[in-house]
Amino acid sequence: MQLMLVTLFPEMLSALTQSGVTGRACELGLVQIGAVNPRDFAFNKHKSVDDRPYGGGPGMVMAIEPLRLAIAEARKRAPNASVVYMSPQGQPLTQTRVKDLASNEALIFVAGRYEGIDERLIAAEVDEEISIGDYVLSGGELPAMVVMDAVCRWVPGVLGHDQSAEQDSFVNGLLDCEHYTRPEIHDGQSVPEVLLSGNHERIRKWRLQRSLVRTLERRPDLLEQRVLTQEEKTLLGEYLSQQQTD
Ligand code: 4GX
């Protein structure tokens, strides 16, 4: 899969290309990550990449022409790509949207700086406008890299078998259960007995129950969007009636 970022700060991409799961995916050639810099397409005498907003007021808008040419270059390098613009006005990012994006052979992300980009450029060039959450960052690079990271994880071969199974836990709409490692007692706190039992069926049920409980306590909105199986209702019911007796 090919992932392109149109950005004034291409060096930021090294966080993805040089470390961890995504770094490995690049090394193995499973994903190709590249950047196009609108600065390289700024041909006026000041090489400017920003411009004044119509209507006045503080702040600047990205200059149209360098950005348009940079997107054209990205399209040339990544034919058939969908173009994604990161902004707080976009559709919220979810694991479902990530999985959909991962079905593209190539994606071009446009990272805005300043107050954003001209609305007509969005209309002409952008297929999807996406937000990573309701807060304001200094640019679209980190949001684009968040999406790139999440998308990489769906490319076949990027995750090992065990990690792929693990990511199903969020796809299945629940929060993850707790995790423990050595030693058996840390800071006076022991590991839940069931995890030392070696009984895989009891462990599976306990983990599913913890996922359900944590989702109910921390993110009830996620449970409202999801239908529970009979087993899930039973596990949650058992926990809740146990709570009442405590
Ligand atoms: N989820 N930013 C976009 C430039 C900008 C400013 C105003 C449109 C209007 C963000 C987010 C985000 C910072 C990216 C501002 N674009 N992107 N940038 N939250 O905060 O995606």
Side-chain angles (χ1 to χ4, degrees):
M1 172 173 223
Q2 207 175 357
L3 301 171
M4 298 291 281
L5 181 60
V6 175
T7 174
L8 293 170
F9 302 100
E11 67 280 2
M12 287 181 74
L13 271 181
S14 65
L16 280 182
T17 59
Q18 305 296 309
S19 306
V21 163
T22 50
R24 191 83 216 290
C26 294
E27 233 170 65
L28 292 175
L30 298 172
V31 298
Q32 284 123 291
I33 294 182
V36 180
N37 192 341
R39 182 80 60 188
D40 298 335
F41 300 89
F43 299 122
N44 74 12
K45 68 171 181 242
H46 299 291
K47 287 203 162 205
S48 42
V49 288
D50 62 352
D51 210 339
R52 296 189 323 250
Y54 278 117
M60 299 292 273
V61 174
M62 288 187 84
I64 287 197
E65 205 50 19
L67 189 54
R68 195 182 63 78
L69 291 170
I71 294 170
E73 174 62 24
R75 284 188 196 279
K76 213 159 81 186
R77 290 202 226 157
N80 307 318
S82 269
V83 177
V84 179
Y85 176 56
M86 303 307 304
S87 98
Q89 285 71 45
Q91 290 300 304
L93 185 66
T94 60
Q95 187 72 320
T96 306
R97 190 162 257 116
V98 167
K99 202 175 177 180
D100 281 350
L101 286 171
S103 69
N104 288 278
E105 71 177 83
L107 292 170
I108 295 168
F109 293 89
V110 179
R113 284 271 156 174
Y114 319 115
E115 302 309 311
I117 76 179
D118 188 294
E119 195 61 29
R120 295 162 298 179
L121 205 52
I122 299 178
E125 300 281 0
V126 170
D127 298 304
E128 261 192 274
E129 193 167 341
I130 295 178
S131 166
I132 64 160
D134 298 336
Y135 38 80
V136 181
L137 301 168
S138 311
E141 287 80 6
L142 289 173
M145 287 161 64
V146 164
V147 182
M148 289 164 125
D149 181 297
V151 162
C152 276
R153 299 169 60 80
W154 288 101
V155 173
V158 167
L159 293 185
H161 178 74
D162 291 7
Q163 291 170 303
S164 304
E166 193 188 310
Q167 98 154 2
D168 292 344
S169 83
F170 211 118
V171 177
N172 112 46
L174 298 175
L175 300 184
D176 204 359
C177 63
E178 300 88 337
H179 299 279
Y180 299 89
T181 186
R182 294 184 307 169
E184 225 176 282
I185 298 180
H186 168 72
D187 199 12
Q189 302 288 113
S190 50
V191 173
E193 173 273 324
V194 55
L195 297 179
L196 310 174
S197 70
N199 184 332
H200 297 300
E201 181 57 8
R202 263 188 80 209
I203 293 171
R204 183 191 66 79
K205 284 202 165 110
W206 179 85
R207 286 181 169 156
L208 178 53
Q209 186 177 50
R210 291 307 307 160
S211 283
L212 290 161
V213 170
R214 276 151 64 102
T215 309
L216 181 66
E217 289 176 350
R218 301 179 183 201
R219 293 290 306 278
D221 58 302
L222 292 178
L223 277 193
E224 279 151 30
Q225 296 168 30
R226 191 177 177 285
V227 187
L228 297 190
T229 66
Q230 190 50 248
E231 181 188 40
E232 290 167 347
K233 284 182 195 165
T234 305
L235 288 169
L236 200 49
E238 278 171 7
Y239 171 83
L240 292 172
S241 53
Q242 184 63 44
Q243 282 299 97
Q244 284 193 322
T245 66
D246 291 346

